Structures are given as C-alpha cells and as structure tokens.
C-alpha cells in the first residue's frame, strides 16, 4: 500500500497530482458539453491557437508570463471562433482549420527565434507537470471556479442549445452568446492546463473523459461524474506509472504523456466493457 501512496508524499509529485485533480473537476463537465456539441475540432483549435500567446507571455515575463499570454490568446480565439463560425461565409471546419494553422505557425515562428528553441518548444507543447508551483495551483483553482460557476448558471440553456438550437432560440436564448460562453469555458480550461500538460496533451482532457463516460451511461449528470472520476483516476495511475518506471526501472516516462495514455487506456476498457454488455446472450436452456 505504501508504494501506491508514498510517491505523492514527495512535494513535486503531490503538487502534480493536486493540479491534475483540479483539472479533472473542471474538465469532466466541460468535456461533456464539448462532446454534446461535437466541438472536438474547435477544442483542438483552441489548444493550438493559444500557442503564440504562450510564447509571447514567455518572451515578455518568462515562465510566470505564460498564463497571462495564454489567457489573452484564448479569449481572443474564443471570440474569433464564435464570430467566424456564426457569420463567416466558409464552413465551420474550414474556418477553424485556417485559424488553427495560422496561429500555431505564428507560435512556432516566434519560439524558433530563441536559442533554446528545442527545449522551449518541448515544454510549451508537452508542459512541465512536475514543476507545478503553488502559484499555478492557485491560478488553476481560480480558473476552475470561474468555469464551474459559469456552467452552473448556464447549464440548462447550454444543454438545450446542444440538443435543439431552434427551441433554445424560441425560448429567448441568444445562441451567439451561448456559443461564446462555451468557447470561453473551453479556452479557460486550456489556460488552466497549458502550463502543466502543454498545448498538445490538453486536448485529451477535453475529449477523452466524455467519450469514455458516454460508453458507460446515457445520463448527462452521470456522464459528468464519470468523466471527472476517470480523469482523476488516470491522473493518479499515470503519475504512479511514471514514478515507478523512472525510479525503479530507470525508464524515462514523461508524466503528462503517461497520464494521457492512461486516460486513453480507460477509454479502451470502457469500449470493451460496452461491447461485452451489448453482446447478445445465448438462449437459456431448460434443465430438469
């Protein structure tokens, strides 16, 4: 039992787990809404379009400036995506793809001007989970609270918008504002997670939990709970696997990547469980 708990007594491991558990609490419900609205590509775009903001924040104020730069870029992207997809002449996926490639390429151009190009790019893309600071934990707590309060206030119209946009408009809800609200929530989740898991791996936290939960239940509340629980479990098991591989066996296993792979493994197990549950049972035989 001590081997399952002892690693998290180490300060940096405890902080990493605390950061991921905070992210689990907010990513669970947000991922369900992303799943319902089929916004996986939009969520992917948001994780990439914050990249130039991350780089600019780093260039201006070092690692402490990443959150501010990511926040500005994320909010601007949320507004741009909402406006362009609602009133643009191109299809939504084309608009998102253009914005994604343009912003991400801009970030690569900016970071390539630095002498430490390779190490900086790796940290920006895959995060620095084991160097989470108390300040980062505080930032994540504040952002998570803002998102959860916003979702609690707008949950009913957001769900109605997902299932029946015409009914939502008839009921008096402004669809553009609802879209902007959800895009902003996703953007804030990206900002909260980007320093820990990077701009690449954060997409897994926004997509995989809800996909896993959907394989196990049809109820929205249960989906949010399961998505949160699965993310928390993957955080614990992924960090534990990374620690064990590195300390006991001398195998380098990136913590954030281990967490994401564990999350994907949970999805595959849920997929298998769903297939077994739907398998037709053989007819019962009558015995004397």
């Amino acid at each position: 039992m001590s081997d399952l708990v002892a690693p998290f007594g180490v300060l940096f491991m405890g902080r990493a787990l605390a950061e991921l558990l905070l992210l689990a609490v907010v990513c669970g419900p947000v991922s369900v809404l992303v799943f319902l609205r089929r916004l996986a590509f939009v969520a992917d775009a948001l994780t990439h379009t914050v990249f130039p903001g991350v780089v600019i924040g780093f260039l201006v104020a070092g690692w402490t400036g990443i959150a501010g730069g990511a926040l500005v870029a994320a909010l601007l992207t949320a507004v741009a995506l909402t406006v362009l997809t609602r009133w643009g002449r191109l299809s939504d996926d084309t608009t998102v793809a253009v914005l994604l490639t343009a912003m991400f390429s801009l970030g690569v151009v900016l970071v390539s001007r630095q002498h430490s190009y390779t190490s900086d790019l790796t940290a920006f893309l895959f995060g620095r989970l084991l160097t989470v600071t108390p300040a980062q934990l505080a930032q994540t707590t504040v952002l998570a609270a803002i998102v959860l309060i916003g979702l609690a206030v707008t949950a009913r119209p957001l769900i109605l918008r997902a299932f029946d946009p015409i009914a939502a408009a008839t009921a008096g809800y402004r669809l553009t504002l609802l879209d902007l609200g959800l895009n902003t929530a996703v953007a804030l989740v990206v900002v909260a997670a980007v320093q820990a898991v990077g701009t690449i791996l954060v997409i897994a936290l926004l997509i995989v939990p809800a996909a896993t939960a959907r394989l196990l239940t049809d109820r929205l509340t249960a989906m949010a709970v399961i998505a949160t629980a699965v993310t928390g479990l993957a955080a614990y098991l992924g960090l534990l696997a990374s620690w064990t591989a590195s300390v006991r066996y001398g195998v380098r296993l990136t913590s954030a990547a281990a967490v994401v792979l564990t999350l994907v493994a949970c999805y595959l197990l849920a997929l298998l469980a769903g297939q077994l549950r739907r398998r037709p049972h053989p007819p019962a035989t009558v015995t004397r």
Side-chain angles (χ1 to χ4, degrees):
M1 177 64 76
S2 61
D3 291 340
L4 300 178
V5 178
F8 301 100
V10 179
L11 188 58
F12 66 84
M13 286 290 288
R15 288 176 179 171
L17 181 60
E19 174 76 4
L20 289 176
L21 291 179
L22 284 171
L23 291 175
V25 170
V26 69
C27 285
V30 171
S31 69
V32 170
L33 289 171
V34 170
F35 177 84
L36 290 177
R37 289 286 311 278
R38 295 179 173 86
L39 294 178
F41 191 34
V42 172
D44 187 26
L46 278 165
T47 64
H48 287 73
T49 52
V50 301
F51 187 50
V54 169
V55 176
I56 292 172
F58 175 76
L59 295 178
V60 172
W63 290 103
T64 59
I66 287 180
L71 180 61
V72 173
L75 293 178
L76 289 176
T77 301
V79 174
L81 282 174
T82 303
V83 172
L84 292 175
T85 54
R86 289 288 293 172
W87 295 306
R89 299 183 61 182
L90 298 177
S91 62
D92 290 358
D93 57 345
T94 302
T95 300
V96 171
V98 170
L99 192 59
L100 182 157
T101 53
M103 295 290 284
F104 191 73
S105 299
L106 176 61
V108 172
V109 169
L110 291 172
V111 75
S112 65
R113 298 176 62 84
Q114 303 305 302
H115 296 296
S116 54
Y117 166 66
T118 302
S119 61
D120 288 344
L121 183 62
T122 301
F124 294 149
L125 295 181
F126 301 105
R128 303 172 70 191
L129 181 56
L130 298 183
T131 62
V132 171
T133 64
Q136 284 179 243
L137 287 173
Q139 289 174 0
T140 303
T141 302
V142 171
L143 290 172
I146 292 172
V147 172
L148 291 176
I149 292 172
L151 291 183
V153 173
T154 61
R156 188 178 298 276
L158 284 174
I159 293 173
L160 181 61
R161 166 73 176 91
F163 285 105
D164 194 340
I166 296 177
T170 303
Y173 297 118
R174 300 282 296 274
L175 299 188
T176 301
L177 292 180
L178 291 176
D179 291 347
L180 179 59
L182 181 55
N183 286 341
T184 301
V186 174
L188 291 178
V189 171
V190 173
V191 173
V194 68
Q195 292 187 73
V197 298
T199 58
I200 295 294
L201 300 182
V202 69
I203 186 61
L205 299 179
L206 288 167
I207 302 301
V208 182
T212 304
R214 179 63 183 85
L215 295 171
L216 302 175
T217 183
D218 297 327
R219 300 177 58 186
L220 290 181
T221 302
M223 282 181 64
V225 172
I226 292 173
T228 300
V230 166
T231 307
L233 178 63
Y236 167 76
L237 293 177
L239 284 173
L240 184 63
S242 176
W243 170 275
T244 303
S246 301
V247 174
R248 287 197 171 183
Y249 302 106
V251 178
R252 294 185 62 184
L253 180 60
T254 305
S255 299
V259 171
V260 171
L261 289 175
T262 306
L263 193 57
V264 173
C266 291
Y267 169 79
L268 295 176
L269 288 174
L271 182 62
L272 177 61
Q275 292 295 327
L276 292 176
R277 186 177 60 182
R278 288 191 293 269
R279 179 178 296 177
H281 297 287
T285 58
V286 178
T287 59
R288 294 185 180 182

